Amino acid sequence: MSFTIAIIGRPNVGKSTLFNRLVGQKLALVDDEPGVTRDRREGEARLGDLAFTVIDTAGLDEGRKGSLTARMQEQTEAAIGLADALMFVIDARAGLTPTDRAFADFARRANKPVVLIANKAEGKHGELGAMESYALGLGDPVEVSAEHGEGMGELYDALRKLMPEPADEEVTDEDIDAEEGGLQRPIRVAIVGRPNAGKSTLINHLLGEERLLTSPEAGTTRDSISVEVKWKEREFRIFDTAGLRRRSRIEEKLEKLSVADALRAVRFAEVVVLMLDAQNRFEEQDLRIADLIEREGRAIVIAVNKWDLVEAKPGQITALRRDADHWLPQVAGAPIVAVSGLMGEGIDRLMAAIVEAYAIWNKRVPTAALNRWFEQAVDANPPPAVSGRRLKLNYITQTKARPPSFVLFCSRADAVPQSYLRYLVNSMREVFGLPGTPIRITLREKANPFAHKRKRLS
């Protein structure tokens, strides 16, 4: 089990900047506005030869019971409970505040080793604030600048004293067999959709705990938070993302950062679950998000959430399937699952659909079978003549999976109509069992063996 350290402190002291510095990536959103971080975010940190898990938390702040602020603090308290040690961060430029003193007592009561970090300690004002921090009674402060990477050597020394010596791991026969057998790594899944579609509620039900903040207020989730989920012996890394609104409605800088983080989660995912609101499904923004997923080449599963609020009528799932194929022809046949994240309905069907979509996304078609189908498809519906000249389609081959991608060799590649390519894609979906997944066909002109002779004659 990895040594775990939680970064705590009042809002806007630089906790997320320090988190990003330790994990070596800009995973957590950073902005001058206080309270950007709401959920707790975990990452694998390295500092010199030290490797540990670090948890970024919401700023410690007081809020009335049941409020969003209070629930943010509950997430922070949960992170403290999971941690082996704490990094208590203060803003050295601002100096000590009454809130720092109150939460220093809170950190002390946690009965965990605490490293006091005076962040933003560069310059004369930073030095004075760091000196003030001795009054907290948490030991010598480690003066750092998380933004500029200063003081990391001193932080290494402080953490080295807390962390156990790494044990020599004995490699067993079971480890070797597992490595040779090729262990399945987690499937990366991004949950996306419009604000307040119920993405975080669904993930919390999968985890069986209130891991992610939920609220009736749209826009509660800001960072793309990843969590590990195990379902029927299969592991998943699921990314909860901020709600995606139309670009014209995004005004605040912070929301722009959240949306960029969500889009990055889509690009790094393997399967993307597009979550629709059952009472307002297939709105324009839903269609735009689906189009984005298809352009990025990710496997797609459509989840219609809040199904418990829909009046039960016969034939509703069939109608959903028909609507999905009508509005989203670019991913025709994509699995569509009715779920209720709040009640836990349809979760098993959703997870099964994710596994199936992932398998289709990885599918390879044998070249012989592919060209038998190709010959039959072209004979049944030959390509149209362009400018009085017949198009010649020679053969097709699959170049890669993830998503299934093919190269079609032909004459006059620029003249092949898009409508004919759509015909080939739809036929391929039906014959080879590729529903819903994006399919790429690249046209390539076959080299003309007589081209050089023509040049000589001219």
Side-chain angles (χ1 to χ4, degrees), residues 39-55:
D39 289 291
R40 65 183 192 266
R41 177 194 280 275
E42 296 182 13
E44 296 307 314
R46 291 200 73 88
L47 190 57
D49 61 347
L50 301 181
F52 53 97
T53 299
V54 64
I55 307 177

Side-chain angles (χ1 to χ4, degrees), residues 7 32 96 133 172 178 244 266 304 312-313 329 390 415 430 433 435 448:
I7 305 175
D32 292 335
L96 281 191
S133 66
T172 64
L244 299 173
V266 169
V304 183
K313 293 179 183 177
R390 186 169 65 90
E430 186 177 343
N448 185 350

Side-chain angles (χ1 to χ4, degrees), residues 321 324-325 328-335 426 429 434-437:
R321 171 79 275 154
D325 289 344
L328 302 171
Q330 70 272 46
V331 287
N426 290 333
R429 286 192 195 283
L434 298 170
T437 198

Side-chain angles (χ1 to χ4, degrees), residues 29-106:
L29 292 185
V30 176
D31 192 72
D32 292 335
E33 179 186 329
V36 172
T37 302
R38 288 178 170 176
D39 289 291
R40 65 183 192 266
R41 177 194 280 275
E42 296 182 13
E44 296 307 314
R46 291 200 73 88
L47 190 57
D49 61 347
L50 301 181
F52 53 97
T53 299
V54 64
I55 307 177
D56 185 24
T57 65
L60 291 164
D61 212 344
E62 295 177 343
R64 58 184 171 78
K65 189 173 182 181
S67 67
L68 182 60
T69 302
R71 282 182 287 127
M72 286 161 61
Q73 185 161 336
E74 288 171 7
Q75 290 287 324
T76 299
E77 290 170 1
I80 291 171
L82 291 171
D84 299 300
L86 308 176
M87 284 194 257
F88 185 84
V89 184
I90 67 160
D91 183 340
R93 274 188 242 158
L96 281 191
T97 68
T99 308
D100 287 322
R101 296 176 190 276
F103 289 123
D105 291 336
F106 176 80

